[in-house]
């Protein structure tokens, strides 16, 4: 009898979890299975034991430009890589939409940007973006070694598109990564993302 | 070269011709922004070409509101007002913004004669699906263009910043939703066929369409939340737009008045009600009736089954009366009447009826007649239980104009409960009030300090007629305010009639006939109240510094940064009268109010007044007295306790300064 109750309860839990549209801080991050620009398939499960950073990217978005032209994003990526984190840039632009590029062109762009991301995932169908409810570029997520979503939101506290505002703003991703490294609680775990809409 | 860029260059050329240095206009391929100066405001007028849009102050899922910053200016921005936005959905993402034209009005501290100087740094994001940010500096123009601004404002009316016609309350909060009620202070909502609701804070609220339901006066909507907490302790604010035939009729920005303050748990509400009930015994209204009750108790020497039953009969009388009051109150509220605790005293017939009843009791206490009548002290055993029951009923009836400490909170909280649960609150008050007498029934030794019963009791009984008479005096005063002097004179006439009935009875030796005369006389004295004349009550005289309650004036005072004190009172509320005489209207306190420039308002609830009932509800109350101190618009209202002391008032300004 107890077993049935338990099964029913866990069944309802599963239903509740799967119908939970919004990825939740403190819950397992949604899994994904997406090819990168080199044709390699990446899954979240591949990176168990490593901190994962997701960055929604669109090369033509002025807010993305704010962080790339100022080299802010590249610096962040390099620092994360040094600490052993896996940084994945995600392009959810549908074919024909702004920011969409063929794999070869994407690789060229990345070289030009000086990107230090481990890979650029080409989420043409938008499935991954929708699973994470990515709204803007750049929309940032940090996933802990255990696969738990620990940060969801803006890259920093200044929503301007002006690169001059980067200095003086609080970078939430840096904060989250530092806290994970020290094993402390993350001060700001959810913010409203800013930037251009993701071009699904 | 496309047509667009051609237009751009020709416009650029035109604008360059007109200006040297920083222009007041910025033209870009998708539109232009123009800065205009009016009498005391600056207006940023944005125009975009089709398919492109700019953003409202909450931009929604993506995008960004224009950022404005003054530089080297000889004036300051006091307020920013944005024209009414629209929902723009692009590929599953919802934004709040503007297509075509929009205005941002900056209210400044510019005086009419002053020439504005300075420039405005502007960062504006223009989007179709893709977005282009523009960063520019606009010079504040020198020439006054108020006429042009007026024209633009006519086309794009700005939302009202507040309105007394509406009240917004947070009624429910879950982890994913917040539910609000927008109540029209008028009897109905204005005529509209569509309503649009925009949350001001995009951090807390998602852009999903709110679910709206509407009846005559209430619009209830629930809106999904992001799960993010309010960064500051601010109330939830929304912009409402009412449309008729697709035209914006009126729009207003409102903040929910009631914050998500924790409602005390039901057990606490009951406990408060119970404690309030016990304290009610000490309140001035109940005293005369209770002294009678005390008198009858003195005859008990020991705890007997009889004394227990009497205690329970009294308890039943009190509790049942409270329950029926509760049922009436809830029933009236469900029927849409704006009523609150003590509502029966707002009815002059009740007041006059009580006065007549009390006069009969007075005559009885003086010993002018003896009959087994509601509150007989020396009655036979048989009717003792009935007497106990009816004295409970009477005690409740006279207790209603009083609110004891703790009771206000409990009664207020009961407003939000289901009818069954709020009846529990009424029961708890009744039980609390009856408890001391119930206990005396079980432990008569507790009053053994009182002298032994004897002949002195008859004298004491006669003496108790005087508090009764004083109560009558007070009731007549209330009546004079409610229904004017003709009503008071009629009641005095009925008193003479009662005296005549008693006098006649004493002439007649046959007991049965005498009794009949008394019963007929008693009934007739109450029935005659039906013809109680009512003249329109004279306005309660507000003193020089106490103004009568006026929500608009209060709003104005607060906006001018003056503090406000509101005294919710009624002639029939004895607690209020005590506070008034001992604290509020003393020269010391009135001086203090004036020194600190606190505007004083009296909200008089002597007669039925739905506006005041609603105002009380705003503070979670439906009983008197209530004292509210509003320091300014930013700070939460301070509610003072039911029983005031001078110190509480003298501390008001200090305590808010310390915060």
């Amino acid at each position: 009898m107890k077993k049935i109750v338990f099964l029913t309860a866990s069944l309802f839990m599963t239903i509740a979890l799967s119908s939970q549209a919004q990825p939740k801080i403190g819950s397992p991050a949604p899994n994904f299975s997406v090819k990168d620009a080199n044709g390699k398939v990446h899954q979240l499960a591949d990176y168990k034991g490593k901190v994962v950073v997701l960055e929604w990217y669109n090369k033509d978005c002025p807010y993305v430009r704010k962080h790339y032209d100022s080299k802010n994003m590249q610096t962040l990526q390099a620092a994360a890589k040094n600490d052993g984190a896996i940084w994945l840039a995600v392009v959810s632009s549908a074919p024909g939409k702004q920011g969409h590029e063929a794999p070869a062109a994407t690789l060229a762009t990345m070289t030009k940007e000086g990107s230090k991301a481990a890979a650029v995932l080409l989420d043409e169908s938008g499935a991954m973006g929708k699973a994470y409810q990515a709204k803007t570029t750049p929309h940032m997520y940090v996933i802990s070694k255990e696969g738990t979503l620990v940060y969801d939101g803006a890259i920093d506290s200044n929503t301007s598109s002006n690169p001059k505002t980067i200095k003086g703003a609080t970078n939430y991703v840096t904060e989250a990564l530092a806290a994970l490294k020290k094993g402390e609680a993350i001060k700001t775990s959810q913010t409203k993302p800013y930037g251009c809409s993701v071009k699904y | 070269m496309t047509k667009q860029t051609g237009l751009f260059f020709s416009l650029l050329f035109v604008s360059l011709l007109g200006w040297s240095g920083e222009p007041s206009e910025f033209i870009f391929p998708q539109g232009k922004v123009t800065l205009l100066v009016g009498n005391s405001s600056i207006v940023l007028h944005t125009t975009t070409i089709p398919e492109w849009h700019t953003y409202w102050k909450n931009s929604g899922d993506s995008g960004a509101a224009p950022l404005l910053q003054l530089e080297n200016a000889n004036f300051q921005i006091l307020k920013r007002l944005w024209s009414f936005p629209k929902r723009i959905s692009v590929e599953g993402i919802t934004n709040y913004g503007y297509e075509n034209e929009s205005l941002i009005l900056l209210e400044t501290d510019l005086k009419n004669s002053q020439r504005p100087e300075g420039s405005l740094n502007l960062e504006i994001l223009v989007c179709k699906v893709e977005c282009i940010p523009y960063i520019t500096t606009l010079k504040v123009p020198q020439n006054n263009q108020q006429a042009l601004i007026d024209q633009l404002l006519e086309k794009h009316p700005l939302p009202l910043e507040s309105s007394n016609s509406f009240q917004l309350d947070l009624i429910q909060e879950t982890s994913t939703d917040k539910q609000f009620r927008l109540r029209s202070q008028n009897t109905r909502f204005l005529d509209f066929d569509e309503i649009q609701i925009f949350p001001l804070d995009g951090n807390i609220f998602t852009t999903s369409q709110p679910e709206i339901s509407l009846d005559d006066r209430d619009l209830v909507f629930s809106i999904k939340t992001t799960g993010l907490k309010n960064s500051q302790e601010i109330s939830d604010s929304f912009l409402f737009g009412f449309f008729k035939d697709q035209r914006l009729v009126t729009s207003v920005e409102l903040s929910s008045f009631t914050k998500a303050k924790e409602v005390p748990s039901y057990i606490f509400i009951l406990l408060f009600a119970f404690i309030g009930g016990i304290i009610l015994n000490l309140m001035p209204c109940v005293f005369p009736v209770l002294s009678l009750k005390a008198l009858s108790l003195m005859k008990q020497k020991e705890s007997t089954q009889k004394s227990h039953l009497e205690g329970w009969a009294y308890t039943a009388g009190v509790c049942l009366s409270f329950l029926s009051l509760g049922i009436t109150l809830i029933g009236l509220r469900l029927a849409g009447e704006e009523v609150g605790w003590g509502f029966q005293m707002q009815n002059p017939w009740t007041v006059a009826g009580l006065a007549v009843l009390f006069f009969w009791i007075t005559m009885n206490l003086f010993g002018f007649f003896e009959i087994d009548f509601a509150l007989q002290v020396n009655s036979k055993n048989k009717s003792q239980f009935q007497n106990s029951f009816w004295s409970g009923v009477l005690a409740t009836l006279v207790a209603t104009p009083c609110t004891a400490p703790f009771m206000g909170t409990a009664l207020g909280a009961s407003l939000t409960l289901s009818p069954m649960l709020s009846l529990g609150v009424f029961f708890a008050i009744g039980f609390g009030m009856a408890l001391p007498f119930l206990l005396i029934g079980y432990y008569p030794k507790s009053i053994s300090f009182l002298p032994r019963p004897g002949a002195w009791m008859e004298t004491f009984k006669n003496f108790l007629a005087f508090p009764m008479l004083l109560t009558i005096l007070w009731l007549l005063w209330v009546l004079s305010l409610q229904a004017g002097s003709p009503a008071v004179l009629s009641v005095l006439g009925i008193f003479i009639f009662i005296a005549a009935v008693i006098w006649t009875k004493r002439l007649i030796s046959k007991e049965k006939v005498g009794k009949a005369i008394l019963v007929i006389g008693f009934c007739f004295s109450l029935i005659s109240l039906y013809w109680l004349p009512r003249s329109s009550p004279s306005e309660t005289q507000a003193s020089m510094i106490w103004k009568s309650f006026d929500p608009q004036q209060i709003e104005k005072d607060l906006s001018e940064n003056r503090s406000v004190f509101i005294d919710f009172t009624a002639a029939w509320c004895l607690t209020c009268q005590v506070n008034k005489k001992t604290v509020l209207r003393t020269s010391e306190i009135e001086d203090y109010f004036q020194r600190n420039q606190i505007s004083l308002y009296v909200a008089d609830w002597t007669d039925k007044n739905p506006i005041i009932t609603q105002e009380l509800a705003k503070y979670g109350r439906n009983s008197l007295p209530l004292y509210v101190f509003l320091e300014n618009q930013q700070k939460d209202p301070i509610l003072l306790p039911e029983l005031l002391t001078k110190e509480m008032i003298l501390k008001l300004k200090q305590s808010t300064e310390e915060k």
Side-chain angles (χ1 to χ4, degrees):
Chain A
M1 181 62 198
K2 257 188 185 164
K3 211 168 181 180
I4 297 174
V5 174
F6 176 72
L7 281 177
T8 325
S10 48
L11 183 69
F12 276 115
M13 289 270 285
T14 327
I15 294 170
L17 281 177
S18 51
S19 65
Q20 178 82 39
Q22 188 131 6
K24 252 181 113 171
I25 297 296
S27 301
N31 198 10
F32 51 84
S33 176
V34 185
K35 269 188 193 166
D36 70 9
N38 290 312
K40 190 190 158 201
V41 175
H42 295 255
Q43 288 188 312
L44 180 59
D46 299 344
Y47 301 112
K48 201 119 203 175
K50 287 199 165 145
V51 172
V52 176
V53 181
L54 302 178
E55 170 213 340
W56 258 260
Y57 174 79
N58 169 353
K59 69 179 171 63
D60 295 322
C61 166
Y63 291 88
V64 173
R65 298 270 42 96
K66 167 188 172 188
H67 292 285
Y68 272 93
D69 294 345
S70 62
K71 300 287 171 206
N72 181 40
M73 193 66 89
Q74 294 91 324
T75 315
L76 272 178
Q77 291 165 341
K81 196 176 167 186
N82 261 343
D83 285 339
I86 301 295
W87 188 295
L88 299 172
V90 187
V91 181
S92 287
S93 299
K97 298 275 175 67
Q98 189 197 53
H100 179 266
E101 279 186 306
T106 305
L107 288 175
T109 308
M110 284 304 118
T111 317
K112 204 182 95 200
E113 295 270 35
S115 167
K116 305 280 190 297
V120 184
L121 308 186
L122 300 180
D123 177 37
E124 284 186 352
S125 70
M128 179 179 175
K130 278 167 190 158
Y132 276 85
Q133 295 212 341
K135 292 205 171 75
T136 65
T137 47
H139 190 159
M140 309 298 296
Y141 298 86
V142 179
I143 300 161
S144 75
K145 287 179 180 169
E146 296 77 32
T148 309
L149 186 65
V150 294
Y151 179 76
D152 165 5
I155 178 165
D156 65 17
S157 61
N158 196 311
T159 62
S160 166
S161 62
N162 192 341
K164 283 183 200 156
T165 60
I166 292 175
K167 221 177 126 188
T170 308
N171 192 302
Y172 299 123
V173 177
T174 310
E175 273 196 353
L177 290 175
L180 278 182
K181 199 173 159 188
K182 286 189 213 155
E184 286 170 1
I186 292 169
K187 211 165 66 190
T188 313
S189 57
Q190 202 183 4
T191 58
K192 191 190 172 200
Y194 69 88
C196 315
S197 58
V198 177
K199 312 302 182 215
Y200 290 115
Chain B
M1 195 154 94
T2 63
K3 209 168 139 196
Q4 258 175 38
T5 41
L7 179 76
F8 166 59
F9 280 116
S10 55
L11 284 172
L12 187 70
F13 180 67
V14 172
S15 68
L16 283 177
L17 265 184
W19 301 99
S20 55
E22 291 166 350
S24 303
E25 190 168 57
F26 173 67
I27 299 168
F28 45 93
Q30 299 79 22
K32 65 167 184 174
V33 285
T34 315
L35 204 55
L36 303 166
V37 164
N39 294 338
S40 63
S41 57
I42 292 183
V43 171
L44 189 76
H45 179 212
T46 309
T47 317
T48 48
I49 60 171
E51 293 180 62
W52 289 80
H53 60 263
T54 57
Y55 294 96
W56 186 51
K57 54 184 165 184
N58 169 12
S59 61
D61 286 335
S62 64
L67 299 172
L68 312 164
Q69 198 182 21
L70 277 183
E71 205 172 81
N72 302 326
N74 63 344
F75 58 92
Q76 283 186 326
I77 298 174
L78 302 176
K79 223 182 264 173
R80 293 157 194 241
L81 303 168
W82 303 62
S83 55
F84 198 83
K86 93 187 245 197
R87 291 176 79 89
I88 302 167
S89 289
V90 185
E91 296 174 356
I93 280 184
T94 302
N95 291 119
Y96 303 139
Y98 305 101
E99 286 168 337
N100 198 8
E101 266 186 285
S102 65
L103 299 178
I104 303 173
L105 184 137
L106 309 173
E107 262 184 34
T108 65
D109 55 1
L110 275 175
K111 304 281 176 313
N112 237 337
S113 51
Q114 202 180 345
R115 293 195 70 175
E117 275 166 36
S119 47
L120 186 78
N121 290 332
L122 170 71
E123 179 184 335
I124 186 164
L125 185 69
V126 191
C127 298
K128 190 165 139 193
V129 177
E130 56 273 29
C131 295
I132 304 168
Y134 291 100
I135 300 172
T136 184
T137 302
L138 298 174
K139 192 172 159 51
V140 176
Q142 301 280 306
N143 50 329
N144 185 312
Q145 286 158 295
Q146 187 63 43
L148 180 55
I149 291 177
D150 289 343
Q151 267 179 33
L152 286 170
L153 287 177
E154 205 163 304
K155 251 169 82 188
H156 308 281
L158 299 174
L160 304 168
E161 289 169 88
S162 67
S163 167
N164 287 316
S165 322
F166 300 105
Q167 186 186 324
L168 182 67
D169 291 300
L170 173 63
I171 51 178
Q172 213 175 15
E173 184 173 1
T174 67
S175 57
T176 56
D177 285 276
K178 275 186 173 184
Q179 194 175 47
F180 295 89
R181 183 185 58 208
L182 178 68
R183 171 167 276 195
S184 166
Q185 305 289 65
N186 307 320
T187 40
R188 306 183 53 87
F189 269 109
L190 58 156
D191 193 22
F192 68 92
D193 49 27
E194 193 201 339
I195 182 163
Q196 290 182 14
I197 303 174
F198 296 94
L200 261 62
D201 194 333
N203 287 316
I204 307 169
F205 297 105
T206 67
T207 54
S208 59
Q209 276 281 12
E211 279 172 46
I212 300 173
S213 66
L214 181 75
D215 66 21
D216 260 11
R217 291 184 47 200
D218 289 345
L219 184 146
V220 174
F221 63 97
S222 71
I223 182 161
K224 292 227 170 333
T225 49
T226 56
L228 288 175
K229 296 271 176 303
N230 283 30
S231 43
Q232 297 127 351
E233 285 273 326
I234 47 165
S235 49
D236 303 314
S237 305
F238 293 91
L239 172 67
F240 297 90
F242 295 90
F243 289 81
K244 175 85 185 166
D245 301 326
Q246 304 193 324
R247 276 200 47 230
L248 183 62
V249 184
T250 188
S251 59
V252 61
E253 247 181 59
L254 295 168
S255 297
S256 76
F257 198 93
T258 41
K259 313 229 166 79
K261 63 176 165 215
E262 60 221 279
V263 177
S265 78
Y266 189 56
I267 295 293
F268 272 103
I269 296 175
L270 286 186
L271 192 70
F272 271 46
F274 176 72
I275 297 172
I278 295 177
I279 301 176
L280 200 54
N281 284 306
L282 305 172
M283 302 308 282
C285 352
V286 203
F287 179 72
V289 174
L290 286 189
S291 38
L292 283 178
K293 183 69 197 151
L295 196 61
S296 76
L297 281 172
M298 260 185 263
K299 285 193 286 188
Q300 288 169 10
K301 287 178 204 78
E302 54 203 81
S303 168
T304 61
Q305 203 175 7
K306 203 184 113 230
S307 74
H308 299 173
L309 280 175
E310 266 184 51
W312 283 110
Y314 175 77
T315 310
V318 173
C319 290
L320 284 178
S321 313
F322 265 96
L323 281 180
S324 37
L325 271 175
I327 290 169
T328 318
L329 185 64
I330 292 163
L332 285 174
R333 288 197 75 94
L334 288 180
E337 291 265 350
E338 294 287 350
V339 290
W341 179 245
F343 66 94
Q344 66 278 42
M345 298 297 284
Q346 289 174 339
N347 181 335
W349 283 280
T350 313
V351 176
L354 279 177
V356 169
L357 183 62
F358 282 16
F359 192 72
W360 280 102
I361 298 173
T362 308
M363 293 291 109
N364 175 265
L365 290 172
F366 276 134
F368 293 153
F369 71 98
E370 301 277 333
I371 193 166
D372 287 347
F373 164 65
L375 257 167
Q376 179 65 280
V377 182
N378 293 320
S379 54
K380 309 286 169 295
N381 296 347
K382 195 172 82 184
S383 52
Q384 200 85 325
F385 306 130
Q386 265 184 36
N387 283 346
S388 288
F389 180 83
W390 287 110
S391 60
V393 173
L394 192 66
T396 310
L397 217 51
V398 292
T400 49
C402 275
T403 311
F406 297 103
M407 249 175 77
T409 318
L411 284 170
S414 77
L415 276 183
T416 59
L417 297 170
S418 70
M420 278 320 285
L421 289 180
S422 66
L423 278 183
V425 174
F426 282 95
F427 184 84
I429 296 174
F431 191 71
M433 181 169 153
L435 189 70
F437 291 96
L438 186 61
L439 288 180
I440 290 172
Y442 279 87
Y443 306 101
K445 289 215 173 75
S446 61
I447 51 165
S448 58
F449 60 88
L450 291 170
R452 291 174 164 278
W456 67 271
M457 275 183 65
E458 196 56 29
T459 319
F460 183 63
K461 192 185 107 179
N462 293 347
F463 165 76
L464 281 181
F466 291 101
M468 253 332 164
L469 282 171
L470 287 175
T471 312
I472 293 173
L473 191 63
W474 163 61
L475 286 169
L476 290 180
W477 175 64
V478 173
L479 190 63
S480 74
L481 293 178
Q482 283 176 331
S485 49
V488 176
L489 290 174
S490 314
V491 173
L492 291 176
I494 295 173
F495 288 176
I496 298 174
F497 166 76
I498 294 170
V501 169
I502 293 169
W503 179 75
T504 315
K505 189 246 167 191
R506 286 160 71 106
L507 284 184
I508 292 163
S509 50
K510 268 197 173 166
E511 205 183 323
K512 272 198 175 156
V513 179
K515 236 178 190 176
I517 286 177
L518 275 185
V519 170
I520 294 168
F522 178 71
C523 294
F524 188 74
S525 68
L526 288 176
I527 292 167
S528 63
L529 288 171
Y530 179 76
W531 293 280
L532 191 75
R534 289 194 67 182
S535 62
S536 59
S538 55
E539 284 281 308
T540 330
Q541 280 292 309
S543 71
M544 287 294 281
I545 62 167
W546 290 87
K547 286 162 279 186
S548 40
F549 179 72
D550 178 351
Q552 276 164 16
Q553 193 61 40
I554 290 174
E555 197 73 37
K556 198 168 156 252
D557 278 343
L558 289 173
S559 71
E560 286 164 9
N561 223 359
R562 250 188 313 238
S563 304
V564 168
F565 186 89
I566 314 172
D567 170 15
F568 291 87
T569 184
W572 45 259
C573 163
L574 257 194
T575 320
C576 307
Q577 303 310 323
V578 172
N579 285 330
K580 192 165 142 184
K581 286 283 168 291
T582 58
V583 179
L584 291 177
R585 303 300 166 90
T586 56
S587 54
E588 183 188 354
I589 295 300
E590 289 195 335
D591 276 356
Y592 171 82
F593 280 138
Q594 287 199 305
R595 248 198 340 271
N596 287 292
Q597 297 193 333
I598 299 170
S599 298
L600 304 173
Y601 291 91
V602 178
D604 194 323
W605 211 32
T606 305
D607 292 305
K608 246 173 88 171
N609 187 335
I611 296 172
I612 294 178
T613 311
Q614 282 167 18
E615 193 72 16
L616 283 167
K618 243 165 95 168
Y619 300 103
R621 293 296 177 88
N622 71 339
S623 58
L624 294 179
L626 174 67
Y627 305 98
V628 177
F629 180 66
L630 303 159
E631 167 93 6
N632 55 39
Q633 276 166 322
Q634 286 81 46
K635 287 198 178 125
D636 284 347
I638 296 175
L639 308 189
L640 276 69
E642 283 89 344
L643 280 174
L644 290 180
T645 63
K646 285 186 180 172
E647 288 70 40
M648 288 173 191
I649 303 284
L650 297 175
K651 268 196 334 218
L652 277 179
K653 207 67 184 187
Q654 281 172 3
S655 63
T656 52
E657 269 161 22
E658 279 161 18
K659 266 178 197 168

